[in-house]
């Protein structure tokens, strides 16, 4: 039987999926699949080899929606870690890599993940924490956090951090900023929850809001998706070091899917047991629809000239 804290964490995880944006839902699933539980050192981290291949596959079935805030791709790693200290560098590195993959604001997303990690753990530990106290915790963390930043980006990062600290003071005073930025988006979600209810401008912010609100809300939740429910249970097992998960020691190539025939079943290193549902040509694009336990994937391969 789950502890009350584990039930809260599972609910927060499931609620993060209550959006329409497929890219973010895929990213949340990818992060979950890449978690490794280290019972000896008592923390959870990302299997970098698995993560590399997951993104390699995503290039062929996913969409690159750079206008959507994808900060909640970090939520499985945040929720599965019992220690903020041990997870800080991990969440920074995870989101830095997601943002590098998406080619947008890597250190901004990295810093946003560090802040988000602090916020989630603070709220889990004290649901009654005030808006001002949350921002006080955020400010202290930003001041003390010193990631390794490329020399060419050092000045830019430090200027960005100074700007964020200034924004914190404004948010405490009730002044908001509408510019699109992963950290400012997070601040706006906190403002929406604690100060003034407003409509989220994208599914990424909605996912963050769903997660935080589910921790604050004591009501039961309804979930009709068996896969996401099972992933929530999986997350809790990882969090409690029950799986002793092995490293991913393979190197998968999504191009190998091209050689499979329609109707064929196959044990794929990334998607597990799959079935080729259809293969069709659309001009120079080969479309392969794949069925798996986690749902259907539509791969697109460009035919070589």
């Amino acid at each position: 039987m789950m502890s009350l804290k584990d039930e809260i964490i599972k609910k927060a995880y499931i609620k993060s999926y209550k959006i329409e944006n497929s890219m973010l839902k895929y990213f949340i699933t990818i992060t979950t699949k890449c978690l490794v539980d280290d019972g000896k050192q008592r923390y959870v981290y990302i299997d970098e080899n698995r993560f590399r291949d997951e993104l390699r596959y995503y290039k062929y079935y996913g969409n690159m929606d750079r206008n959507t805030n994808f900060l909640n791709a970090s939520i499985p790693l945040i929720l599965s870690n019992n220690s903020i200290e041990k997870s800080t560098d991990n969440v920074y590195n995870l989101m830095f890599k997601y943002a590098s993959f998406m080619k947008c604001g890597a250190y901004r997303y990295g810093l946003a993940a560090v802040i988000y990690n602090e916020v989630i753990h603070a709220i889990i530990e004290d649901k009654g924490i005030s808006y001002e106290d949350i921002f006080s915790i955020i400010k202290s963390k930003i001041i003390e956090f010193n990631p390794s930043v490329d020399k060419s980006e050092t000045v830019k990062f430090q200027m960005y951090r100074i700007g964020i600290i200034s924004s914190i003071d404004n948010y405490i005073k009730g002044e908001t900023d509408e510019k699109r930025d992963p950290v400012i988006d997070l601040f706006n979600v906190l403002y929406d929850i604690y100060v003034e209810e407003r409509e989220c401008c994208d599914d990424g912010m909605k996912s963050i809001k769903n997660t935080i609100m589910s921790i604050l809300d004591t009501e039961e939740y309804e979930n009709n998706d068996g896969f996401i429910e099972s992933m929530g249970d999986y997350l809790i097992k990882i969090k409690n070091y029950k799986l002793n998960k092995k490293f991913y020691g393979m190197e998968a190539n999504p191009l190998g899917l091209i050689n499979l025939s329609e109707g064929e079943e196959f044990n794929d290193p990334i998607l597990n047991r799959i079935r080729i549902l259809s293969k069709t040509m659309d001009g120079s694009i080969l479309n392969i629809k794949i069925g798996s336990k986690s749902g259907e994937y539509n791969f697109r391969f460009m035919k070589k000239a």
Side-chain angles (χ1 to χ4, degrees), residues 161-217:
R161 177 156 61 178
I162 290 167
I164 291 299
I165 291 170
S166 176
S167 293
I168 289 171
D169 295 331
N170 292 335
Y171 272 85
I172 290 174
K173 290 186 289 187
E175 300 169 7
T176 62
D177 190 336
E178 298 309 312
K179 73 169 178 275
R180 294 310 308 273
D181 172 273
V183 174
I184 297 301
D185 281 352
L186 176 57
F187 289 176
N188 278 326
V189 169
L190 291 170
Y191 182 88
D192 294 350
I193 292 170
Y194 284 93
V195 180
E196 179 187 358
E197 177 65 33
R198 299 177 300 176
E199 198 70 34
C200 289
C201 65
D202 83 349
D203 263 8
M205 292 174 69
K206 184 178 179 182
S207 180
I208 294 168
K209 189 172 182 178
N210 288 345
T211 299
I212 295 174
M213 287 298 294
S214 74
I215 297 169
L216 296 171
D217 189 1

Side-chain angles (χ1 to χ4, degrees), residues 62-128:
N63 65 308
M64 303 293 191
D65 181 5
R66 294 180 179 86
N67 295 318
T68 294
N69 183 315
F70 49 90
L71 178 59
N72 236 12
S74 65
I75 199 62
L77 184 58
I78 291 171
L79 291 174
S80 62
N81 265 290
N82 298 299
S83 166
I84 303 176
E85 291 73 23
K86 288 186 176 180
S87 59
T88 295
D89 288 340
N90 283 317
V91 295
Y92 178 87
N93 291 333
L94 173 68
M95 289 312 300
F96 189 95
K97 287 172 181 173
Y98 265 120
S100 296
F101 172 73
M102 294 291 288
K103 295 181 171 58
C104 59
Y107 63 82
R108 292 172 183 247
Y109 268 99
L111 188 60
V114 169
I115 294 168
Y116 191 35
N117 190 36
E118 294 288 318
V119 170
I120 291 294
H121 282 281
I123 293 172
I124 287 174
E125 293 305 317
D126 179 10
K127 289 186 181 183

